[in-house]
Amino acid sequence: MTDQLRLMAVHAHPDDESSKGAATMAKYVSEGVDVLVVTCTGGERGSILNPKLQGDTYIEENIHEVRKKEMDEAREILGVRQEWLGFVDSGLPEGDPLPPLPEGCFALEDVDKAAGELVKQIRSFRPQVITTYDENGGYPHPDHIMTHKISMVAFEGADDTAKYPESEFGPAYRPLKLYYNQGFNRPRTEALHQAMLDRGLESPYGDWLKRWSEFERVERTLTTHVPCADFFEIRDKALIAHATQIDPDGAGSGCRWNSRRRSGRPRSTSWRSRSSTPPSPRTTCLRASATMPDMSASVSLAMTHLVPLAKEVDENKVTPGVLGFIVFAAMAIAVWGLMKSMNRRMGKVDFVETPEDASGGSTTGKPTSAKG
């Protein structure tokens, strides 16, 4: 598995993979990347949102099996692999005050123990890049927030054999980067709203923007925008496959399909990488540098020594023979730095999806670098 690029997308429920980052995944599948979706719960407590299916006794009594079949269809459309972690949907509590979460649900699981199930998947699949939600869960559903929590613990713990012994969780492994899906951001929402108005369409985003301050979200610097307009049709088909969760004639769906298809400009997905190193300039690819370790520090070190030495030669303080030896040594330093960087797997990586603005591109949060 050493030469194959691998992307793991961790989601809370079946249908989340098709509404968050789906076009990005389809894009990477088309480029030969092995993509695995890990679904934490079965969506057992999800509401039936498609009016045409509401009141169907069979669906209501067998929602878990129905949603499993929907996931199978969406997986085939996207061309990805998919695994279930097997936790039980927590449901979305409503009311004031909010009712307690149901016993045994995903959001009430012990975080470290639940993360262990994800560690098993990481160690087995060995992805260079993982995508998930930020600490808000994308939106504050308890399962989305829990997905963030276990993703962070599993990302850090995948190579921790004391916490997760290899005998039980598989051979230790360290992913390179972790990205937050940042599709729900103000610049994107404003761009979609304006695009709808410019085309004489009714926009559902006006109220969102008026109430933006109520969301209590931290505005982040988006580090990666993945152009994926060519794959929105695949994304749409995968989303429609989750028939219980999508009303294809609803206002939200109409906005998604009409605004993007009537626009002559490309779109992208947004991501933010969570990184232990200073953020790199904004990128357009999640995988671009997955196999390209950062050797800039080594090259800088070599050039730091070469530039003043060249001046010394001009002043006849260093002979050409000595300079030749020093050049060789400096290049050896650069090669050593490259090999060290490869061994420590500190390469920069990019992968991800969300309309960045009316002119296109997908946005992502900040990548998390593996520690050396």
Side-chain angles (χ1 to χ4, degrees):
M1 297 179 72
T2 54
D3 296 328
Q4 174 71 57
L5 292 174
R6 295 173 298 280
L7 166 64
M8 174 183 284
V10 186
H11 287 286
H13 312 105
D15 86 273
D16 287 326
E17 84 296 327
S18 296
S19 61
K20 303 166 186 66
T24 294
M25 291 192 294
K27 169 188 171 71
Y28 285 111
V29 167
S30 76
E31 296 176 0
V33 176
D34 191 2
V35 179
L36 173 67
V37 171
V38 176
T39 312
C40 295
T41 79
E44 302 88 346
R45 291 191 169 95
S47 301
I48 299 174
L49 303 177
N50 187 341
K52 297 181 179 67
L53 300 180
Q54 291 172 353
D56 186 309
T57 304
Y58 175 82
I59 293 177
E60 291 174 350
E61 294 178 353
N62 300 276
I63 188 65
H64 178 66
E65 288 303 314
V66 170
R67 297 198 69 179
K68 187 170 184 279
K69 290 178 180 178
E70 291 176 346
M71 182 69 243
D72 288 343
E73 185 178 348
R75 183 194 70 235
E76 291 295 326
I77 293 169
L78 293 171
V80 301
R81 294 200 253 168
Q82 190 259 344
E83 295 286 349
W84 302 92
L85 287 192
F87 296 108
V88 178
D89 189 344
S90 306
L92 182 61
E94 296 178 301
D96 187 13
L98 292 174
L101 293 172
E103 185 178 352
C105 71
F106 178 43
L108 295 182
E109 293 281 347
D110 177 81
V111 173
D112 287 344
K113 183 177 180 181
E117 297 303 310
L118 184 55
V119 167
K120 291 177 183 177
Q121 295 291 338
I122 293 173
R123 290 184 178 181
S124 173
F125 185 60
R126 304 177 79 80
Q128 289 94 347
V129 175
I130 296 175
T131 68
T132 191
Y133 316 132
D134 63 16
E135 68 278 6
N136 299 307
Y139 76 104
H141 188 297
D143 287 339
H144 284 238
I145 293 172
M146 185 64 166
T147 297
H148 164 79
K149 291 178 179 179
I150 72 165
S151 295
M152 302 314 298
V153 172
F155 180 82
E156 296 293 338
D159 65 348
D160 187 341
T161 56
K163 187 171 185 177
Y164 298 108
E166 292 184 326
S167 58
E168 181 179 357
F169 297 91
Y173 174 75
R174 181 71 176 182
L176 297 177
K177 295 275 186 174
L178 182 146
Y179 284 87
Y180 294 153
N181 187 306
Q182 295 289 286
F184 187 59
N185 61 77
R186 183 159 191 141
R188 169 186 183 266
T189 305
E190 290 174 340
L192 284 174
H193 175 64
Q194 192 59 49
M196 295 289 290
L197 297 180
D198 290 346
R199 289 158 182 79
L201 300 172
E202 183 179 353
S203 170
Y205 296 115
D207 289 339
W208 290 21
L209 293 170
K210 290 177 183 176
R211 297 170 47 218
W212 197 268
S213 60
E214 298 176 18
F215 298 142
E216 298 181 355
R217 295 177 59 85
V218 175
E219 293 299 324
R220 301 179 182 279
T221 299
L222 302 178
T223 62
T224 308
H225 294 257
V226 179
C228 50
D230 292 344
F231 301 91
F232 278 178
E233 186 172 351
I234 294 175
R235 185 276 318 278
D236 292 349
K237 289 179 179 178
L239 194 55
I240 292 173
H242 292 281
T244 60
Q245 303 303 299
I246 297 297
D247 176 9
D249 300 321
S253 298
C255 173
R256 168 176 282 117
W257 291 303
N258 290 332
S259 66
R260 292 175 187 169
R261 286 179 180 158
R262 294 189 186 186
S263 172
R265 293 169 289 187
R267 299 269 178 173
S268 65
T269 295
S270 308
W271 304 82
R272 171 180 171 81
S273 72
R274 171 177 157 43
S275 183
S276 57
T277 59
S280 56
R282 194 171 75 181
T283 58
T284 60
C285 174
L286 293 182
R287 73 160 195 189
S289 44
T291 55
M292 295 293 291
D294 185 359
M295 58 180 291
S296 58
S298 301
V299 174
S300 297
L301 177 62
M303 294 306 296
T304 298
H305 289 79
L306 283 176
V307 171
L309 284 169
K311 183 179 179 182
E312 297 284 300
V313 171
D314 288 341
E315 297 175 359
N316 297 318
K317 295 180 181 178
V318 177
T319 66
V322 172
L323 178 62
F325 172 80
I326 294 172
V327 169
F328 174 82
M331 294 310 296
I333 291 173
V335 172
W336 170 81
L338 173 61
M339 295 302 295
K340 182 179 179 182
S341 184
M342 290 178 67
N343 289 335
R344 295 179 64 184
R345 299 199 310 259
M346 288 294 289
K348 299 174 185 176
V349 186
D350 327 303
F351 279 100
V352 210
E353 168 197 9
T354 331
E356 159 194 273
D357 54 23
S359 62
S362 125
T363 51
T364 304
K366 190 178 181 182
T368 299
S369 261
K371 296 173 183 174

